[in-house]
Amino acid sequence: MARPRNAATDAAILDATRAALVELGWSGLSMADVASRAGVAKTTLYRRWPGKSELVVDAVATVFDSLELPDLGNLRDDLEGVVLSFGALLERPETSAALLAVVGEAATDPALQQRLRATVVDRQKHLVVTGRARAQARGELPPDAADTAETARVVDLLFDVIAGAVVHRCLISGGSVDRQWAARFAALLLGGLAAMEATAQPNGE
C-alpha cells in the first residue's frame, strides 16, 4: 500500500516551484532544481507529479485556493472584496510569474490547457456560485431559472468577466487593483448583471 503524502513536503515542493519560476521562468525550471530547492529527492517529486506541467499547474492552483469570497452583507461589497483580494494575490511575484508561465505554455499545449482549466479555473468558479446564491437569498438577484444549462452559462460568463478583468488589469496593462478601481468595476458589472440575469428567466426569452 502506498504511503500517505506528507502535506509539509508537498507545500515545500510547491513553494520551491513558484520560487524557481520567478528566478528561471518556464524554460529554465527543471524537476531536479525544484527537488534541490525543496530539499527532497527527485524520486519524491516524481511520485507526486509525473512532469513539469502537472507540477506547475498545481503550484498555481494552490495559490488560488487561498482566495475566499467575503460575506459583507451585500453583493456590491462582496464583489469589491474578492476583486481586491484577487488583485493582491496577483501582485505577488510568485503568483504572477507562475500564472504567466503556465498560461503562456498552455497556449500551445492542449493537454496543459485542459489541466489548467480543471485544476484552477473550474475550482475557482465556486466563488461565483457562492456569491450568486448569497445575493439571491438577500433578494438582490432573481432565483435561478429552471434551465440548469443556462445557470452554468451565467456562472461561466461571470467568472470569465471578473477573472479576465482583474488579470488583464494586473498582468497586462500593469495597473493596480485598488479600492477605487474595484468600486468602479463592481458598479459596471452590477449594472449589467441585473439585465443579464433577467435574460436567463423564462419571461426574458
Side-chain angles (χ1 to χ4, degrees):
M1 186 172 68
R3 290 179 297 176
R5 287 171 59 155
N6 185 297
T9 299
D10 285 357
I13 292 169
L14 296 174
D15 286 345
T17 301
R18 291 187 291 269
L21 282 168
V22 172
E23 294 180 26
L24 306 173
W26 179 278
S27 61
L29 183 145
S30 70
M31 298 289 273
D33 179 68
V34 170
S36 176
R37 289 170 185 260
V40 301
K42 281 196 295 182
T43 53
T44 300
L45 208 61
Y46 281 108
R47 278 200 301 269
R48 289 161 163 78
W49 294 276
K52 182 166 78 171
S53 295
E54 294 83 0
L55 173 61
V56 172
V57 170
D58 280 2
V60 173
T62 302
V63 173
F64 287 106
D65 282 344
S66 67
L67 193 61
E68 297 180 351
L69 179 69
D71 188 353
L72 301 175
N74 63 81
L75 182 56
R76 182 183 296 272
D77 287 345
D78 289 356
L79 177 57
E80 288 182 27
V82 76
V83 164
L84 287 169
S85 296
F86 189 22
L89 200 62
L90 291 177
E91 288 177 359
R92 292 162 49 181
E94 67 271 22
T95 307
S96 57
L99 183 60
L100 286 171
V102 75
V103 168
E105 198 66 22
T108 56
D109 185 339
L112 178 59
Q113 186 178 71
Q114 184 176 7
R115 183 175 178 84
L116 180 65
R117 184 183 304 113
T119 308
V120 180
V121 175
D122 289 345
R123 258 173 33 191
Q124 294 308 311
K125 287 180 182 176
H126 76 92
L127 298 171
V128 174
V129 173
T130 299
R132 289 183 73 245
R134 284 181 190 166
Q136 288 167 339
R138 297 177 190 130
E140 296 172 293
L141 292 176
D144 285 335
D147 185 350
T148 57
E150 178 60 25
T151 297
R153 285 191 288 269
V154 169
V155 169
D156 287 348
L157 180 56
L158 284 172
F159 182 86
D160 288 346
V161 169
I162 297 168
V166 178
V167 169
H168 189 282
R169 175 73 176 177
C170 292
L171 303 185
I172 307 301
S173 67
S176 64
V177 175
D178 55 19
R179 191 163 297 279
Q180 183 182 52
W181 188 89
R184 288 176 173 173
F185 175 69
L188 175 65
L189 180 62
L190 293 179
L193 180 58
M196 184 191 71
E197 294 279 6
T199 67
Q201 305 305 307
N203 61 4
E205 296 180 355

